[in-house]
Structure formats: C-alpha cells, structure tokens
Amino acid sequence: MRDQLKTEAEQPSAVPGPRRRLPAQKAPEAPEAPAAERPEQPAPDRAETPVRAETPARAEVADRLAYLDSATRRINSALDLAATLRNIGRVLVPTLADAAVIHLRDPLPNVEREPGFPDELRIHHSTGTRIGRQGRRGGLDDRNRSRYGSRSTADPGPAVPVTRGGAIAHTLLSRRPAEPAVLGTPAAERTATLLRELYGTRGPSRLAAGTSVLALPLRGRKAVLGLLVLIRRPPERTGRPPFDAADTATAAHLATQAGLAVDTALRYAREWEIANELQRSMLPLRLPQPHGVRLAQRYLPGERGAQVGGDWYDAVPLPGNRVALIVGDVMGHSLTSAAIMGQLRTSAQTLAALDLPPHEVLYHLDEQAQRLGREQHLATCVYAVYDPIANRVVLANAGHVPPVLVRPGGKAELVELDSGAPIGVGGVDFNSVELPAPPGSALLLFTDGLVETRNRPISDGLELLRARISGARWQSPEQLCQEALRILPPGDRGDDIALLGACFDGIPAGDVAHWYLQPRNETPGRARRLAAHTLRRWGLEELSEATELMVSELVTNAVQHATRPITLSLVRTTRLRCEVGDDSPLLPRPRRTGPEDERGRGLQIVARCAERWGATRLGTGKVVWFEQRLPKN
C-alpha cells in the first residue's frame, strides 16, 4: 500500500464541468472627444428593454447546474454494478477531483432488507489513483463475482474492518454535510485518521501537504452502502484551489445519486439472479439417455445487460425406444417470458407422452398458447422424434431456426422445413417432414441466440454454423455442442442460447422382435411361446422364466380391455425391454388383493420380477412395459 495514494495525471472527461471564471476586467477608456466633435446620438427607444450582460457568478452557476444534470444522467445510465461504478468515477475525475476511490460493504448486501451496520469495506473502483488498479484477480472477489457477475477491472484489495466509534463509522453514519480537509493543517486530523483506517498507518503520509480530501457516505434506500473518497492535489500542481463550499455541495449531490445508483444496480442484480434461477429451475437437470441415441445440452444465459429470456430444451422418451427432441424460444426478455416458457415446456411434455405426430404436438401447443392469453408473447419451436429401430427422424417447425443434420460422412446441412408461424398466432397448419437418420448421423437443435448477433445477420450465422460442424472432428454430442459454440464472437451475448445435440446410433434389426396379436383367450399362451423362442435365439434363456410370466400377465390384462390387435415387442440393448400395447386408454394400477381374490395380482408380479416397469398413455391407447438386466457373461 506504499504508493497507493499517489494520484495519476488528469484524464480527459466527456462530461462538462464547472468552469471558474476570473473577475471581468474593464478595457482601457479612450480620451473623451470635444462636444462639438461628438456625433449626434439617437434618443433611446423607451419601449426597448436593455439586455444585461451575464455576470461571471451567474455563468458559473449555470455551468455547475449543467454539469450536475449531465453527471446525474450518466451515473444512472447503467444497471450493471461495475458499469455504474465506472460512470461514477468518470463524472468525478478530473472535472471535480483528481482522484476518486469507491469503497463498498463487504460482502455486498441484500438491499431489499435492512443489512445492519457494515462490518467491512472493500475498494471496488478507483479513478485517477493507483488504489485498486488491475491485479491478478480482476474484478470483485470470487464470492461477490459469482453472486453479482460484475466485470470490474479493479483489484479489490484487502477488506478494511469498520470499528464502531472509529473515523470510518463516524463518516458512514454522519448526517451532517461533509467538510473537506486540507492535509497538513490542524483541522485535517479527523480526515488523517480516516485515511489511516482505510489505507494503513502510512496512508496520509503518501499524500503531499496541501492535498484536499473529501469523504462522503454512499447511502442506498435502506442503509449506507459504502464510502466515496475524493482527492484534489495541491494548488501548486493543478492550479485550482482546494474543495470549497460549492464543490462540497456538488460532491454531496453526486454522492447521493451514486448511492441510489449502486442500490439500483444491486437490486437489479438480485432480480436478475432470481429470474435466472427461476428459468434454470424450469429446465431439465439432466437429459434421459435412451438406447440408440446419445444426448447432450448446453444453456448459456444472456449477459447481465439483457433480461432473462424464454429459451428451453427437452427430451422425452417414447415407447419403442423412440425419443422426442424439443427446442423452443419464447419471444421477448422478461420474467413473464420465463414463466410462459415453463408452461409451454410442461404442455410439450404432456403432448409428447401422448405419442402424437410432431405437427399435431405443435398444433396443440399453439392452442395452449392462445389459452394463456399472452398474445404479445409468441414462441418458436422445433419438435423432432427419432426412431432408432426404423432409423428415421420426423420433424416439424413453428417459426424456429432450422436444425442442422449431420450425415454419417460428416457433411452437415440445414434441414429444409416449412418454417410455419410461431406458436400463439393461431389458425396455422404445421407440417411434419420425415428424413433418414442412419447410425452415425446427428442432429443439432438450437435457438437463434447462437447464430444471430448484434453485428451478424442470422443467415450468415447459419452458414457459419453449418460450415463449422462440417469441418470439425467430434465424436460425441458434447463435442458437437462445443463446436457449435465456437462460432460465437467475443463480447457480450445479448440473448440466451439453448442447444440440444443428438448422436444417432440406432438399434440393429436383429435385436428387435415385434408382433401383432388378436385379443383372444389363447393369446397369452402364444405370447409366452413367442417370447421364449426369441430369448433362446438371443441366448438369454436365464431370463426366460421371469419374462414369460410377466408377458403372460400383461397380455392377459390387455386381452380383457382391447378391441383391436395387441402389440408385443422385445428389444435387446444393455437391457431387455418388453412392451405390450392395446387401444384402451385406462392405465393399470396396482391394488391390494385379498387371499380369495382371483384378479389384481398381475402388476404385483411384474413389480417384483422386473427391474423397472411403467405405463404410458398414448393417443390411441396405452403401452405397459418392463425392463430386466441382461445376465453377465
């Protein structure tokens, strides 16, 4: 801290400041001419009002008021804490002071509640002095940066304790107008004590005699938030006198504005944090990993200057080892957008579970959006269903950016889809497109924040993304998403970004068995024989007894309710999965049975024998399934 109080050279400022005007001097008078030689002067018009010249004092007041107006606007022009602190420093130095140091409470308080008396102060910004210059840690300390995300470039340095009854506490809690002090004079002893508490025992000695210091509290709406220290070098160095009463009044006004601006920035940071946490809580914590496809996601929120958005992604397992892939974006940036996103995502999950075609899902989402009564909050969405057995993917689009499909050879192309209209417009038809998706191919769904920036149109971004993925070597969906993010230019992101990558591996046809069975009394016996034969062919005789029993129970239940053919499927992956489907929408439920009950024990048997089981309602009925682990070789 040896040279921390040495001020640096003045820097130009774009903010006009008060100009000190010297007293006006009269021009030398010419000798008076004889009366005979004087020209006749016209009589003054009594209707004219003589215009009085502006006095130097009035001009100085006008300049100071203009400076206050400009400085106040600039101090309140940002919502980010670091930007607010920079603006405060720029309006004060060099117009009003040669150096300014801003100390804030540590840790930064929750300004929505009364934080009480501050325990410590820490330098968060300095201008015109070496205090808090850039260091290895960069901006705020890790604790505060993670909470508020400030991008300040000042090294905060060590925290300074605030002792009750000390000079710092007296300055923070003082309600009387601040008084400037000139170091080296008897009246500056209290200020010297304050500097020693802030910067160490040698703090005042590093400033030359004649330096003028002014310390002002930064008050928020509910509590004092910090301390502002202004320094003006000796007159023989700068040519301007120490702080006077007018300068003190100006600084006090700007300190008041600065305290309110810091309070506003902290409130905005907390609201942004709450909204961001709300949005993240609506997104899936982890994606399912169904067999035949590998999934990965990335979500990047917009920078602090942008409000929370409505981007979302999701993956929903479907019967037949299929999976629904969804990426959407609610237009606008607000807490309402995030709330609507949560509602639409929940609706999309429900519709996906009904196993409707993609265009039907978008149609019902559009109806749901209209029922929400948020006409001004439209949403775009891409909905895709991948079938690893058929090696096909079906997609539908509602005004969203087209996804990128990667062929097995590595060539990437934008999927040509009917863009349609955004969800919420109403009265629009959506179309589904079916494309081959052989093993080794991949699909990337994303929101427009990835390809559209402030200086790059969306068409250029799409082509850049396609070229980037085509020319990159990636082996997993995580690497695919990471390669896509490499097209982002350095700098702020004005919008959220959501990505969903899927690498298609498929399921070989030899590992799948599927039958249609008529709902007859002899059907359960036939289903047992078909299952046993398939398990012998796959070399899974160890699972035959339990599988036959569970298949018999599920098929028997389906025969009692079905009016159309029953479906029976066996799929071998890392597990053995069995699915029994019928056209009845009634889902089976386990129930308690008595010793004399002849029915109701089927699901209890399945629950005991299977590793997992469940039932899914479809648009045309239901599917009941169970899974077993494969025996170890």
Side-chain angles (χ1 to χ4, degrees), residues 519-520 523-524 551-567 580-584 622 624:
R520 299 170 182 167
T523 298
V551 166
S552 177
E553 294 295 337
L554 295 185
V555 172
T556 299
N557 186 69
V559 167
Q560 296 174 356
H561 300 91
T563 59
R564 296 179 181 179
I566 299 168
T567 59
V580 176
D582 61 67
D583 61 343
S584 173
K622 67 175 179 295
V624 185

Side-chain angles (χ1 to χ4, degrees), residues 178-195:
E179 296 181 0
V182 178
L183 297 183
T185 63
E189 182 57 33
R190 175 173 291 179
T191 301
T193 303
L194 173 66
L195 296 179

Side-chain angles (χ1 to χ4, degrees), residues 37-88:
E37 297 179 6
R38 296 178 188 171
E40 287 190 12
Q41 299 293 334
D45 187 354
R46 298 188 179 183
E48 287 188 8
T49 302
V51 179
R52 293 180 296 178
E54 187 178 21
T55 63
R58 181 175 298 177
E60 184 176 349
V61 171
D63 283 348
R64 193 175 294 273
L65 291 177
Y67 165 65
L68 286 174
D69 178 68
S70 176
T72 300
R73 288 199 306 269
R74 186 164 188 174
I75 289 174
N76 293 279
S77 63
L79 292 175
D80 179 73
L81 177 59
T84 299
L85 297 180
R86 286 195 299 267
N87 289 338
I88 295 171

Side-chain angles (χ1 to χ4, degrees), residues 564-622:
R564 296 179 181 179
I566 299 168
T567 59
L568 172 62
S569 300
L570 292 176
V571 180
R572 180 183 62 174
T573 55
T574 58
R575 287 177 171 82
L576 176 66
R577 181 181 177 94
C578 175
E579 295 182 355
V580 176
D582 61 67
D583 61 343
S584 173
L586 300 177
L587 296 181
R589 298 178 181 177
R591 61 180 181 178
R592 294 182 179 180
T593 56
E596 299 180 357
D597 292 337
E598 298 181 358
R599 301 175 58 184
R601 293 185 173 86
L603 291 182
Q604 294 180 6
I605 295 174
V606 173
R608 286 180 177 272
C609 296
E611 180 186 2
R612 294 194 312 152
W613 76 279
T616 304
R617 180 180 286 112
L618 306 179
T620 56
K622 67 175 179 295

